[in-house]
Amino acid sequence: MFHLRPLIITVTSAIVAAIIGVLIIIPAIRDIRNLNARIHTQRQALEMLYQRGQNIRTSSAEYENVKKDIPLITSSFLTLGNELEFITALEAAAAEIGVQQTINLDTAQNAPAEGAPPESVSRRVLLRLDLEGTFAQLIPYLQELEAMRPYINILTIYVANASRSSLLNTSPSDEETLSYAPLLKISLTAATYWRPSSLKP
C-alpha cells in the first residue's frame, strides 16, 4: 500500500503536467508564434511606410528644385487652336525685317491615336519655313525665331545661293549695300510643341 502511494503521486503529477501542457503551455506557445508573426508583418509594413515617406520627401525636394523651371517649360508650348496667332507672329517678324516667307504648319501630323481623347494629348508639330532675303536680313530673322517664347527646335536647314564673304558685315540699315546684296534662300524644318487648350495653365 505504501509502495503504491509514490507511484500514484507520480502518475497523477504526470497527468496533471500533461493536462497543463495541453491546456496552457501549447496554446501559449502558439499565441507567442502568432504574435511574433504579427510583429514581423507590422515591422515590414512600418518599413514600407518609412520608405514611402522617404520617397515622398525625396520627390518633394526634387519638385522644389525644378519648380522654378515650370514657367519656362510651360511657355515653351503653343496652344492648339491658336495656330493663326503663331503664324501671325512669324509673319510680323518676317515683315519687320523684310524677309519673304512661306509657312507650312502641319497641324494634322501626329494627331491623337484613335480612341485617345484629343484634349489630353500634347503634340509635336512640324513647321517648314521657306525664306528669301539677304544674309543681313536672314540672320536677324533667325535670331528672332530663336528668341520667340514658344520653343522652336530647328531640325534641318538648307541654304541656297551662298553669299560672298564681303556680305558678312552688311548692316540692314545700309540700304544702298542691301539693294545690291544677292538673295539667299533658306528652307528649314523645325519641331514645335503644342498642348490642348484644356491643359493651359
Side-chain angles (χ1 to χ4, degrees):
M1 182 75 177
F2 290 104
H3 294 290
L4 292 176
R5 180 176 288 181
L7 181 61
I8 292 171
I9 291 172
T10 303
V11 171
T12 304
S13 299
I15 292 171
V16 170
I19 291 172
I20 291 173
V22 170
L23 297 179
I24 298 175
I25 296 175
I26 292 176
I29 291 172
R30 189 184 306 116
D31 290 342
I32 289 170
R33 286 178 179 169
N34 290 338
L35 181 61
N36 188 37
R38 286 200 298 270
I39 290 172
H40 180 70
T41 302
Q42 289 178 357
R43 187 175 70 181
Q44 286 182 325
L46 286 173
E47 287 176 355
M48 289 178 62
L49 287 173
Y50 175 77
Q51 188 61 41
R52 286 179 186 171
Q54 291 292 97
N55 291 341
I56 289 171
R57 280 190 287 274
T58 302
S59 298
S60 297
E62 290 174 353
Y63 172 74
E64 289 300 323
N65 288 337
V66 300
K67 186 177 179 180
K68 62 182 182 301
D69 296 327
I70 290 176
L72 176 63
I73 295 169
T74 301
S75 67
S76 299
F77 282 86
L78 293 152
T79 304
L80 287 169
N82 290 353
E83 291 85 354
L84 183 59
E85 180 182 326
F86 176 57
I87 291 170
T88 302
L90 292 174
E91 289 175 342
E96 182 180 348
I97 297 171
V99 171
Q100 297 296 317
Q101 173 179 246
T102 303
I103 302 170
N104 183 5
L105 185 64
D106 192 4
T107 54
Q109 185 197 36
N110 292 335
E114 187 174 340
E119 66 278 0
S120 65
V121 180
S122 296
R123 289 196 278 166
R124 176 180 180 265
V125 176
L126 289 182
L127 167 69
R128 176 171 173 154
L129 295 176
D130 293 315
L131 310 169
E132 186 173 322
T134 64
F135 180 85
Q137 291 172 319
L138 291 170
I139 292 301
Y141 177 80
L142 293 174
Q143 290 172 337
E144 179 73 18
L145 196 66
E146 183 183 20
M148 290 183 80
R149 184 174 57 86
Y151 178 59
I152 300 174
N153 181 22
I154 296 177
L155 304 174
T156 62
I157 186 166
Y158 175 76
V159 181
N161 298 329
S163 64
R164 298 190 307 272
S165 59
S166 60
L167 289 175
L168 291 174
N169 296 322
T170 303
S171 169
S173 61
D174 189 350
E175 295 181 3
E176 184 178 347
T177 305
L178 196 59
S179 62
Y180 294 106
L183 293 177
L184 298 176
K185 291 184 178 180
I186 291 181
S187 292
L188 67 84
T189 303
T192 58
Y193 300 90
W194 299 74
R195 66 177 171 209
S197 57
S198 59
L199 298 180
K200 189 174 181 181

PDB file of all heavy atoms in Angstrom, residues 74 77-83 110 112 116-125 193-201:
ATOM      1  N   THR A  74       6.402  75.584 -69.384  1.00  0.00           N
ATOM      2  CA  THR A  74       5.023  75.867 -69.789  1.00  0.00           C
ATOM      3  C   THR A  74       4.981  76.827 -70.968  1.00  0.00           C
ATOM      4  O   THR A  74       4.210  76.647 -71.912  1.00  0.00           O
ATOM      5  CB  THR A  74       4.239  76.459 -68.601  1.00  0.00           C
ATOM      6  OG1 THR A  74       4.271  75.524 -67.520  1.00  0.00           O
ATOM      7  CG2 THR A  74       2.797  76.728 -68.970  1.00  0.00           C
ATOM      8  N   PHE A  77       5.406  75.648 -74.799  1.00  0.00           N
ATOM      9  CA  PHE A  77       4.339  75.015 -75.564  1.00  0.00           C
ATOM     10  C   PHE A  77       3.441  76.062 -76.211  1.00  0.00           C
ATOM     11  O   PHE A  77       3.183  77.116 -75.635  1.00  0.00           O
ATOM     12  CB  PHE A  77       3.475  74.130 -74.660  1.00  0.00           C
ATOM     13  CG  PHE A  77       4.090  72.804 -74.341  1.00  0.00           C
ATOM     14  CD1 PHE A  77       4.963  72.661 -73.280  1.00  0.00           C
ATOM     15  CD2 PHE A  77       3.801  71.685 -75.109  1.00  0.00           C
ATOM     16  CE1 PHE A  77       5.534  71.441 -72.977  1.00  0.00           C
ATOM     17  CE2 PHE A  77       4.364  70.458 -74.820  1.00  0.00           C
ATOM     18  CZ  PHE A  77       5.235  70.341 -73.750  1.00  0.00           C
ATOM     19  N   LEU A  78       2.978  75.734 -77.408  1.00  0.00           N
ATOM     20  CA  LEU A  78       1.938  76.518 -78.068  1.00  0.00           C
ATOM     21  C   LEU A  78       0.597  75.863 -77.749  1.00  0.00           C
ATOM     22  O   LEU A  78       0.541  74.686 -77.385  1.00  0.00           O
ATOM     23  CB  LEU A  78       2.181  76.546 -79.574  1.00  0.00           C
ATOM     24  CG  LEU A  78       3.448  77.310 -79.998  1.00  0.00           C
ATOM     25  CD1 LEU A  78       4.000  76.750 -81.289  1.00  0.00           C
ATOM     26  CD2 LEU A  78       3.152  78.784 -80.135  1.00  0.00           C
ATOM     27  N   THR A  79      -0.479  76.622 -77.906  1.00  0.00           N
ATOM     28  CA  THR A  79      -1.798  76.101 -77.578  1.00  0.00           C
ATOM     29  C   THR A  79      -2.558  75.750 -78.847  1.00  0.00           C
ATOM     30  O   THR A  79      -2.688  76.587 -79.748  1.00  0.00           O
ATOM     31  CB  THR A  79      -2.596  77.137 -76.756  1.00  0.00           C
ATOM     32  OG1 THR A  79      -1.831  77.485 -75.593  1.00  0.00           O
ATOM     33  CG2 THR A  79      -3.938  76.573 -76.329  1.00  0.00           C
ATOM     34  N   LEU A  80      -3.028  74.496 -78.921  1.00  0.00           N
ATOM     35  CA  LEU A  80      -3.828  74.074 -80.073  1.00  0.00           C
ATOM     36  C   LEU A  80      -5.060  74.967 -80.188  1.00  0.00           C
ATOM     37  O   LEU A  80      -5.726  75.254 -79.194  1.00  0.00           O
ATOM     38  CB  LEU A  80      -4.247  72.608 -79.907  1.00  0.00           C
ATOM     39  CG  LEU A  80      -3.130  71.574 -80.101  1.00  0.00           C
ATOM     40  CD1 LEU A  80      -3.596  70.195 -79.656  1.00  0.00           C
ATOM     41  CD2 LEU A  80      -2.679  71.535 -81.550  1.00  0.00           C
ATOM     42  N   GLY A  81      -5.332  75.397 -81.394  1.00  0.00           N
ATOM     43  CA  GLY A  81      -6.429  76.333 -81.626  1.00  0.00           C
ATOM     44  C   GLY A  81      -5.926  77.751 -81.829  1.00  0.00           C
ATOM     45  O   GLY A  81      -6.652  78.603 -82.334  1.00  0.00           O
ATOM     46  N   ASN A  82      -4.665  78.006 -81.430  1.00  0.00           N
ATOM     47  CA  ASN A  82      -4.067  79.334 -81.600  1.00  0.00           C
ATOM     48  C   ASN A  82      -3.032  79.337 -82.724  1.00  0.00           C
ATOM     49  O   ASN A  82      -2.067  80.099 -82.687  1.00  0.00           O
ATOM     50  CB  ASN A  82      -3.403  79.796 -80.292  1.00  0.00           C
ATOM     51  CG  ASN A  82      -4.421  80.114 -79.220  1.00  0.00           C
ATOM     52  OD1 ASN A  82      -5.620  80.119 -79.471  1.00  0.00           O
ATOM     53  ND2 ASN A  82      -3.953  80.368 -78.019  1.00  0.00           N
ATOM     54  N   GLU A  83      -3.234  78.472 -83.720  1.00  0.00           N
ATOM     55  CA  GLU A  83      -2.286  78.390 -84.827  1.00  0.00           C
ATOM     56  C   GLU A  83      -2.178  79.718 -85.572  1.00  0.00           C
ATOM     57  O   GLU A  83      -1.087  80.134 -85.960  1.00  0.00           O
ATOM     58  CB  GLU A  83      -2.704  77.277 -85.804  1.00  0.00           C
ATOM     59  CG  GLU A  83      -2.564  75.874 -85.254  1.00  0.00           C
ATOM     60  CD  GLU A  83      -3.762  75.422 -84.433  1.00  0.00           C
ATOM     61  OE1 GLU A  83      -4.668  76.239 -84.178  1.00  0.00           O
ATOM     62  OE2 GLU A  83      -3.794  74.248 -84.046  1.00  0.00           O
ATOM     63  N   ASN A 110       0.770  63.801 -86.537  1.00  0.00           N
ATOM     64  CA  ASN A 110       0.794  63.298 -85.159  1.00  0.00           C
ATOM     65  C   ASN A 110      -0.507  63.573 -84.424  1.00  0.00           C
ATOM     66  O   ASN A 110      -0.513  63.935 -83.247  1.00  0.00           O
ATOM     67  CB  ASN A 110       1.955  63.914 -84.362  1.00  0.00           C
ATOM     68  CG  ASN A 110       3.288  63.442 -84.873  1.00  0.00           C
ATOM     69  OD1 ASN A 110       3.382  62.377 -85.468  1.00  0.00           O
ATOM     70  ND2 ASN A 110       4.315  64.227 -84.660  1.00  0.00           N
ATOM     71  N   PRO A 112      -3.880  62.655 -82.415  1.00  0.00           N
ATOM     72  CA  PRO A 112      -4.035  61.625 -81.388  1.00  0.00           C
ATOM     73  C   PRO A 112      -4.508  60.307 -81.988  1.00  0.00           C
ATOM     74  O   PRO A 112      -5.270  60.283 -82.948  1.00  0.00           O
ATOM     75  CB  PRO A 112      -5.097  62.218 -80.450  1.00  0.00           C
ATOM     76  CG  PRO A 112      -5.032  63.681 -80.684  1.00  0.00           C
ATOM     77  CD  PRO A 112      -4.644  63.861 -82.117  1.00  0.00           C
ATOM     78  N   ALA A 116      -8.039  57.838 -78.347  1.00  0.00           N
ATOM     79  CA  ALA A 116      -7.413  58.688 -77.328  1.00  0.00           C
ATOM     80  C   ALA A 116      -8.122  60.033 -77.294  1.00  0.00           C
ATOM     81  O   ALA A 116      -8.409  60.603 -78.338  1.00  0.00           O
ATOM     82  CB  ALA A 116      -5.934  58.894 -77.641  1.00  0.00           C
ATOM     83  N   PRO A 117      -8.451  60.534 -76.108  1.00  0.00           N
ATOM     84  CA  PRO A 117      -9.116  61.838 -76.033  1.00  0.00           C
ATOM     85  C   PRO A 117      -8.188  62.943 -76.511  1.00  0.00           C
ATOM     86  O   PRO A 117      -7.116  63.131 -75.936  1.00  0.00           O
ATOM     87  CB  PRO A 117      -9.449  61.991 -74.539  1.00  0.00           C
ATOM     88  CG  PRO A 117      -8.523  61.054 -73.842  1.00  0.00           C
ATOM     89  CD  PRO A 117      -8.219  59.940 -74.800  1.00  0.00           C
ATOM     90  N   PRO A 118      -8.541  63.675 -77.571  1.00  0.00           N
ATOM     91  CA  PRO A 118      -7.627  64.684 -78.135  1.00  0.00           C
ATOM     92  C   PRO A 118      -7.308  65.802 -77.166  1.00  0.00           C
ATOM     93  O   PRO A 118      -6.273  66.430 -77.262  1.00  0.00           O
ATOM     94  CB  PRO A 118      -8.398  65.205 -79.358  1.00  0.00           C
ATOM     95  CG  PRO A 118      -9.820  64.855 -79.106  1.00  0.00           C
ATOM     96  CD  PRO A 118      -9.813  63.607 -78.266  1.00  0.00           C
ATOM     97  N   GLU A 119      -8.210  66.063 -76.208  1.00  0.00           N
ATOM     98  CA  GLU A 119      -7.978  67.180 -75.303  1.00  0.00           C
ATOM     99  C   GLU A 119      -6.930  66.869 -74.240  1.00  0.00           C
ATOM    100  O   GLU A 119      -6.572  67.727 -73.455  1.00  0.00           O
ATOM    101  CB  GLU A 119      -9.295  67.592 -74.623  1.00  0.00           C
ATOM    102  CG  GLU A 119      -9.882  66.562 -73.675  1.00  0.00           C
ATOM    103  CD  GLU A 119     -10.691  65.483 -74.380  1.00  0.00           C
ATOM    104  OE1 GLU A 119     -10.793  65.534 -75.617  1.00  0.00           O
ATOM    105  OE2 GLU A 119     -11.216  64.590 -73.696  1.00  0.00           O
ATOM    106  N   SER A 120      -6.429  65.627 -74.203  1.00  0.00           N
ATOM    107  CA  SER A 120      -5.471  65.269 -73.157  1.00  0.00           C
ATOM    108  C   SER A 120      -4.092  64.941 -73.708  1.00  0.00           C
ATOM    109  O   SER A 120      -3.245  64.461 -72.976  1.00  0.00           O
ATOM    110  CB  SER A 120      -5.998  64.061 -72.373  1.00  0.00           C
ATOM    111  OG  SER A 120      -6.067  62.931 -73.226  1.00  0.00           O
ATOM    112  N   VAL A 121      -3.869  65.175 -75.018  1.00  0.00           N
ATOM    113  CA  VAL A 121      -2.622  64.749 -75.644  1.00  0.00           C
ATOM    114  C   VAL A 121      -1.862  65.959 -76.181  1.00  0.00           C
ATOM    115  O   VAL A 121      -2.402  66.742 -76.953  1.00  0.00           O
ATOM    116  CB  VAL A 121      -2.906  63.752 -76.790  1.00  0.00           C
ATOM    117  CG1 VAL A 121      -1.603  63.306 -77.437  1.00  0.00           C
ATOM    118  CG2 VAL A 121      -3.679  62.548 -76.274  1.00  0.00           C
ATOM    119  N   SER A 122      -0.601  66.100 -75.755  1.00  0.00           N
ATOM    120  CA  SER A 122       0.266  67.124 -76.337  1.00  0.00           C
ATOM    121  C   SER A 122       0.869  66.568 -77.616  1.00  0.00           C
ATOM    122  O   SER A 122       1.042  65.360 -77.754  1.00  0.00           O
ATOM    123  CB  SER A 122       1.368  67.507 -75.349  1.00  0.00           C
ATOM    124  OG  SER A 122       0.798  68.094 -74.201  1.00  0.00           O
ATOM    125  N   ARG A 123       1.198  67.470 -78.543  1.00  0.00           N
ATOM    126  CA  ARG A 123       1.665  67.010 -79.852  1.00  0.00           C
ATOM    127  C   ARG A 123       2.920  67.747 -80.292  1.00  0.00           C
ATOM    128  O   ARG A 123       3.124  68.905 -79.948  1.00  0.00           O
ATOM    129  CB  ARG A 123       0.572  67.231 -80.905  1.00  0.00           C
ATOM    130  CG  ARG A 123      -0.598  66.302 -80.753  1.00  0.00           C
ATOM    131  CD  ARG A 123      -1.435  66.302 -82.002  1.00  0.00           C
ATOM    132  NE  ARG A 123      -2.353  67.421 -82.041  1.00  0.00           N
ATOM    133  CZ  ARG A 123      -3.005  67.811 -83.125  1.00  0.00           C
ATOM    134  NH1 ARG A 123      -2.841  67.186 -84.257  1.00  0.00           N
ATOM    135  NH2 ARG A 123      -3.824  68.827 -83.090  1.00  0.00           N
ATOM    136  N   ARG A 124       3.704  67.037 -81.086  1.00  0.00           N
ATOM    137  CA  ARG A 124       4.870  67.622 -81.759  1.00  0.00           C
ATOM    138  C   ARG A 124       4.459  67.872 -83.201  1.00  0.00           C
ATOM    139  O   ARG A 124       4.062  66.954 -83.906  1.00  0.00           O
ATOM    140  CB  ARG A 124       6.036  66.635 -81.692  1.00  0.00           C
ATOM    141  CG  ARG A 124       7.286  67.046 -82.436  1.00  0.00           C
ATOM    142  CD  ARG A 124       8.321  65.935 -82.238  1.00  0.00           C
ATOM    143  NE  ARG A 124       9.572  66.198 -82.910  1.00  0.00           N
ATOM    144  CZ  ARG A 124       9.881  65.744 -84.124  1.00  0.00           C
ATOM    145  NH1 ARG A 124       9.018  65.003 -84.803  1.00  0.00           N
ATOM    146  NH2 ARG A 124      11.059  66.020 -84.654  1.00  0.00           N
ATOM    147  N   VAL A 125       4.522  69.130 -83.626  1.00  0.00           N
ATOM    148  CA  VAL A 125       4.051  69.511 -84.958  1.00  0.00           C
ATOM    149  C   VAL A 125       5.222  70.094 -85.745  1.00  0.00           C
ATOM    150  O   VAL A 125       5.958  70.947 -85.241  1.00  0.00           O
ATOM    151  CB  VAL A 125       2.905  70.552 -84.857  1.00  0.00           C
ATOM    152  CG1 VAL A 125       2.482  71.021 -86.246  1.00  0.00           C
ATOM    153  CG2 VAL A 125       1.719  69.966 -84.108  1.00  0.00           C
ATOM    154  N   TYR A 193       5.905  72.417 -80.338  1.00  0.00           N
ATOM    155  CA  TYR A 193       5.225  71.561 -79.360  1.00  0.00           C
ATOM    156  C   TYR A 193       3.940  72.244 -78.908  1.00  0.00           C
ATOM    157  O   TYR A 193       3.955  73.393 -78.468  1.00  0.00           O
ATOM    158  CB  TYR A 193       6.167  71.267 -78.189  1.00  0.00           C
ATOM    159  CG  TYR A 193       7.410  70.561 -78.670  1.00  0.00           C
ATOM    160  CD1 TYR A 193       8.538  71.285 -79.057  1.00  0.00           C
ATOM    161  CD2 TYR A 193       7.439  69.183 -78.813  1.00  0.00           C
ATOM    162  CE1 TYR A 193       9.666  70.645 -79.544  1.00  0.00           C
ATOM    163  CE2 TYR A 193       8.563  68.535 -79.299  1.00  0.00           C
ATOM    164  CZ  TYR A 193       9.671  69.269 -79.665  1.00  0.00           C
ATOM    165  OH  TYR A 193      10.779  68.632 -80.157  1.00  0.00           O
ATOM    166  N   TRP A 194       2.844  71.500 -79.039  1.00  0.00           N
ATOM    167  CA  TRP A 194       1.507  72.048 -78.823  1.00  0.00           C
ATOM    168  C   TRP A 194       0.786  71.247 -77.753  1.00  0.00           C
ATOM    169  O   TRP A 194       0.931  70.037 -77.667  1.00  0.00           O
ATOM    170  CB  TRP A 194       0.705  72.002 -80.129  1.00  0.00           C
ATOM    171  CG  TRP A 194       1.320  72.814 -81.225  1.00  0.00           C
ATOM    172  CD1 TRP A 194       2.433  72.522 -81.952  1.00  0.00           C
ATOM    173  CD2 TRP A 194       0.857  74.076 -81.703  1.00  0.00           C
ATOM    174  NE1 TRP A 194       2.693  73.521 -82.855  1.00  0.00           N
ATOM    175  CE2 TRP A 194       1.740  74.492 -82.734  1.00  0.00           C
ATOM    176  CE3 TRP A 194      -0.219  74.898 -81.374  1.00  0.00           C
ATOM    177  CZ2 TRP A 194       1.578  75.684 -83.422  1.00  0.00           C
ATOM    178  CZ3 TRP A 194      -0.380  76.088 -82.060  1.00  0.00           C
ATOM    179  CH2 TRP A 194       0.513  76.471 -83.078  1.00  0.00           C
ATOM    180  N   ARG A 195      -0.005  71.956 -76.979  1.00  0.00           N
ATOM    181  CA  ARG A 195      -0.826  71.284 -75.972  1.00  0.00           C
ATOM    182  C   ARG A 195      -2.266  71.739 -76.135  1.00  0.00           C
ATOM    183  O   ARG A 195      -2.529  72.846 -76.628  1.00  0.00           O
ATOM    184  CB  ARG A 195      -0.328  71.604 -74.571  1.00  0.00           C
ATOM    185  CG  ARG A 195      -0.493  73.055 -74.225  1.00  0.00           C
ATOM    186  CD  ARG A 195      -0.075  73.348 -72.821  1.00  0.00           C
ATOM    187  NE  ARG A 195      -0.074  74.792 -72.652  1.00  0.00           N
ATOM    188  CZ  ARG A 195       0.702  75.429 -71.820  1.00  0.00           C
ATOM    189  NH1 ARG A 195       1.542  74.766 -71.082  1.00  0.00           N
ATOM    190  NH2 ARG A 195       0.644  76.730 -71.712  1.00  0.00           N
ATOM    191  N   PRO A 196      -3.203  70.909 -75.714  1.00  0.00           N
ATOM    192  CA  PRO A 196      -4.615  71.299 -75.812  1.00  0.00           C
ATOM    193  C   PRO A 196      -4.912  72.499 -74.925  1.00  0.00           C
ATOM    194  O   PRO A 196      -4.240  72.727 -73.920  1.00  0.00           O
ATOM    195  CB  PRO A 196      -5.361  70.055 -75.312  1.00  0.00           C
ATOM    196  CG  PRO A 196      -4.372  68.945 -75.399  1.00  0.00           C
ATOM    197  CD  PRO A 196      -3.029  69.558 -75.205  1.00  0.00           C
ATOM    198  N   SER A 197      -5.924  73.255 -75.302  1.00  0.00           N
ATOM    199  CA  SER A 197      -6.298  74.429 -74.508  1.00  0.00           C
ATOM    200  C   SER A 197      -6.752  74.026 -73.113  1.00  0.00           C
ATOM    201  O   SER A 197      -6.661  74.808 -72.172  1.00  0.00           O
ATOM    202  CB  SER A 197      -7.410  75.213 -75.211  1.00  0.00           C
ATOM    203  OG  SER A 197      -8.524  74.369 -75.447  1.00  0.00           O
ATOM    204  N   SER A 198      -7.223  72.768 -72.958  1.00  0.00           N
ATOM    205  CA  SER A 198      -7.669  72.303 -71.642  1.00  0.00           C
ATOM    206  C   SER A 198      -6.511  72.174 -70.665  1.00  0.00           C
ATOM    207  O   SER A 198      -6.707  72.170 -69.459  1.00  0.00           O
ATOM    208  CB  SER A 198      -8.369  70.949 -71.760  1.00  0.00           C
ATOM    209  OG  SER A 198      -7.494  69.986 -72.326  1.00  0.00           O
ATOM    210  N   LEU A 199      -5.268  72.077 -71.178  1.00  0.00           N
ATOM    211  CA  LEU A 199      -4.093  71.971 -70.315  1.00  0.00           C
ATOM    212  C   LEU A 199      -3.423  73.310 -70.093  1.00  0.00           C
ATOM    213  O   LEU A 199      -2.404  73.392 -69.437  1.00  0.00           O
ATOM    214  CB  LEU A 199      -3.071  70.998 -70.924  1.00  0.00           C
ATOM    215  CG  LEU A 199      -3.527  69.557 -71.093  1.00  0.00           C
ATOM    216  CD1 LEU A 199      -2.408  68.717 -71.694  1.00  0.00           C
ATOM    217  CD2 LEU A 199      -3.973  68.970 -69.765  1.00  0.00           C
ATOM    218  N   LYS A 200      -4.001  74.361 -70.632  1.00  0.00           N
ATOM    219  CA  LYS A 200      -3.403  75.695 -70.487  1.00  0.00           C
ATOM    220  C   LYS A 200      -3.517  76.140 -69.041  1.00  0.00           C
ATOM    221  O   LYS A 200      -4.585  76.055 -68.440  1.00  0.00           O
ATOM    222  CB  LYS A 200      -4.115  76.688 -71.405  1.00  0.00           C
ATOM    223  CG  LYS A 200      -3.430  78.046 -71.489  1.00  0.00           C
ATOM    224  CD  LYS A 200      -4.119  78.906 -72.524  1.00  0.00           C
ATOM    225  CE  LYS A 200      -3.435  80.259 -72.653  1.00  0.00           C
ATOM    226  NZ  LYS A 200      -4.093  81.119 -73.640  1.00  0.00           N
ATOM    227  N   PRO A 201      -2.395  76.603 -68.433  1.00  0.00           N
ATOM    228  CA  PRO A 201      -2.445  76.988 -67.020  1.00  0.00           C
ATOM    229  C   PRO A 201      -3.262  78.249 -66.809  1.00  0.00           C
ATOM    230  O   PRO A 201      -3.391  79.070 -67.677  1.00  0.00           O
ATOM    231  CB  PRO A 201      -0.969  77.229 -66.674  1.00  0.00           C
ATOM    232  CG  PRO A 201      -0.314  77.544 -67.967  1.00  0.00           C
ATOM    233  CD  PRO A 201      -1.071  76.804 -69.024  1.00  0.00           C
TER     234      PRO A 201
END
